[in-house]
Amino acid sequence: MDSMTNKAAAALGSYAPEDVTFLLKRVEMQTTDVAAKEEAIQSGRRHYSEMISTEKAPTAEYMELFAKAMETGAERMGVETARLAHAIAASVEGPITLVSLVRAGVPLGVVLNRAIKALGRDVEHYGVSIIRDKGIDDEAMRTILATRPVEGIVFVDGWTGKGAITGQLEASFRVYSDERPKFVVLADPCGRASLAASGDDWLIPSGILGCTVSGLISRSILNKDVVGPGDYHACVQWDHLAEHDISRSFVDEVWKHTKPALEVEIPCVWHEDTRRQHREAADAAVVWVVEENGVTNINRVKPGIAEATRAILRRMPEKVYVSSPTDPELAALMHLIEDRGVPYVVAPEKIAPYRAVTLIQKVS
């Protein structure tokens, strides 16, 4: 237990310590060029989690678009987080443990943690890695379960895309419990989460930024050169972007809306009928993109505003499907499309319930 305590005590990330404990191993490693990374992933030579590419600072113009997203998005996120907090508090007896999936789940997890504390509940919040095809970080889960009951664990992510991580989470969680994992998101367009504030594919402001809104940490890494037996999954801390870091100010801004909403909002409910409708529509949209483009590897399809945006920032996009190029919620995405010369196709009926879908280039 001593080694676990020491691992968990290492300060990581740029959030306030009371807001989240990252159960990750901080490492330094050589970065991989985006084109080389794409070829290695698609050829099957390396798993995406073995490599990391350097993150760049968002431009001033892009941050202006982020500020616009905050004008309406911060209030919506704040109010909906209050509703999620009430729903979690009502459904969990005893201690609540929020396990945010690194890294998109962390900003929501921070605000949820504050909200559940404000409701007078015993709550702890951790940031933990989950990797498609590899599973959740078992070492991190063992650290949590050494002091917290499994019945109170609630996994948190920002949104769902195709539902791959949901499936990975359900498979991984069987090691720890016979129950299905409680999985909470703000937006669940593909209908895979157990609790969501809505099924809308909307512009969650934290979804269009990377480390600068996620505590300056990279996407999680699982590479045997830096992760040994008994280690947590790894991450790089991008300190070169410290002057651009808005992680704390972002959650503080959202919290301004969550705190008063806790007094008046009621718990959100995510009905199975609604989830099923979203699942069917989302599956049909992905199938359409796959068939339209002869896609053989479904991982090249990145649906939803946040995933579509991140794919342009981090990967090599072939094209983007959008519901409307003039939709204000797609302004940041359209800026990236035009800035980088990515072709786009307007197909609102075909991609619903998503408002955007990015197709990654086939390079191998």
Side-chain angles (χ1 to χ4, degrees), residues 189-192 272-287 352-354:
C190 76
R192 297 300 203 283
E272 178 51 40
D273 283 353
T274 313
R275 289 175 63 212
R276 189 180 66 253
Q277 288 166 12
H278 276 271
R279 273 198 302 274
E280 289 169 359
D283 287 349
V286 171
V287 165
Y354 304 111

Side-chain angles (χ1 to χ4, degrees), residues 132-188:
R132 194 187 70 236
D133 310 323
K134 306 288 184 181
I136 199 156
D137 186 343
D138 183 59
E139 212 45 57
M141 288 298 294
R142 292 201 302 170
T143 296
I144 293 166
L145 292 171
T147 58
R148 307 290 291 180
V150 70
E151 297 79 16
I153 288 182
V154 178
F155 294 97
V156 180
D157 209 350
W159 55 86
T160 59
K162 298 188 297 288
I165 288 298
T166 317
Q168 189 67 68
L169 181 61
E170 287 171 350
S172 292
F173 194 64
R174 290 187 196 115
V175 175
Y176 315 106
S177 173
D178 293 331
E179 301 293 318
R180 285 171 71 93
K182 300 177 188 74
F183 182 45
V184 175
V185 295
L186 264 181
D188 185 22

Side-chain angles (χ1 to χ4, degrees), residues 13 56 93 168 217 222 315 342:
K56 295 174 184 164
E93 292 179 20
Q168 189 67 68
I217 63 163
L222 189 55
R315 305 287 294 272
V342 182

Side-chain angles (χ1 to χ4, degrees), residues 3 12 20 48 57 101 104 150 167 177 200 254 286-287 291 293 334:
S3 65
L12 181 64
V20 62
Y48 76 86
L101 304 181
V150 70
S177 173
D200 299 344
V254 175
V286 171
V287 165
E291 291 179 348
N293 295 279
M334 293 307 301

Side-chain angles (χ1 to χ4, degrees), residues 137-346:
D137 186 343
D138 183 59
E139 212 45 57
M141 288 298 294
R142 292 201 302 170
T143 296
I144 293 166
L145 292 171
T147 58
R148 307 290 291 180
V150 70
E151 297 79 16
I153 288 182
V154 178
F155 294 97
V156 180
D157 209 350
W159 55 86
T160 59
K162 298 188 297 288
I165 288 298
T166 317
Q168 189 67 68
L169 181 61
E170 287 171 350
S172 292
F173 194 64
R174 290 187 196 115
V175 175
Y176 315 106
S177 173
D178 293 331
E179 301 293 318
R180 285 171 71 93
K182 300 177 188 74
F183 182 45
V184 175
V185 295
L186 264 181
D188 185 22
C190 76
R192 297 300 203 283
S194 46
L195 178 65
S198 81
D200 299 344
D201 181 19
W202 66 279
L203 182 59
I204 299 168
S206 55
I208 61 170
L209 285 179
C211 75
T212 54
V213 77
S214 304
L216 285 181
I217 63 163
S218 73
R219 205 202 57 226
S220 56
I221 298 160
L222 189 55
N223 179 321
K224 64 181 186 315
D225 294 337
V226 294
V227 179
D231 286 341
Y232 297 139
H233 292 184
C235 74
V236 173
Q237 187 158 312
W238 297 123
D239 289 328
H240 69 288
L241 296 178
E243 67 183 280
H244 302 278
D245 185 25
I246 58 165
S247 303
R248 289 197 188 199
S249 59
F250 174 78
V251 293
D252 287 347
E253 186 61 32
V254 175
W255 175 241
K256 283 181 195 169
H257 299 284
T258 304
K259 193 177 178 184
L262 284 170
E263 304 292 327
V264 294
E265 290 296 325
I266 58 170
C268 54
V269 180
W270 194 217
H271 291 292
E272 178 51 40
D273 283 353
T274 313
R275 289 175 63 212
R276 189 180 66 253
Q277 288 166 12
H278 276 271
R279 273 198 302 274
E280 289 169 359
D283 287 349
V286 171
V287 165
W288 179 78
V289 174
V290 164
E291 291 179 348
E292 188 77 0
N293 295 279
V295 173
T296 52
N297 179 356
I298 200 168
N299 295 328
R300 288 174 53 211
V301 180
K302 302 295 178 185
I305 294 173
E307 291 302 313
T309 303
R310 285 164 176 245
I312 297 178
L313 288 169
R314 296 203 307 227
R315 305 287 294 272
M316 292 174 62
E318 177 178 315
K319 69 174 79 161
V320 184
Y321 292 96
V322 297
S323 55
S324 165
T326 57
D327 181 348
E329 300 243 326
L330 297 182
L333 180 70
M334 293 307 301
H335 169 75
L336 290 173
I337 285 171
E338 284 154 19
D339 184 56
R340 301 182 185 201
V342 182
Y344 71 90
V345 178
V346 182

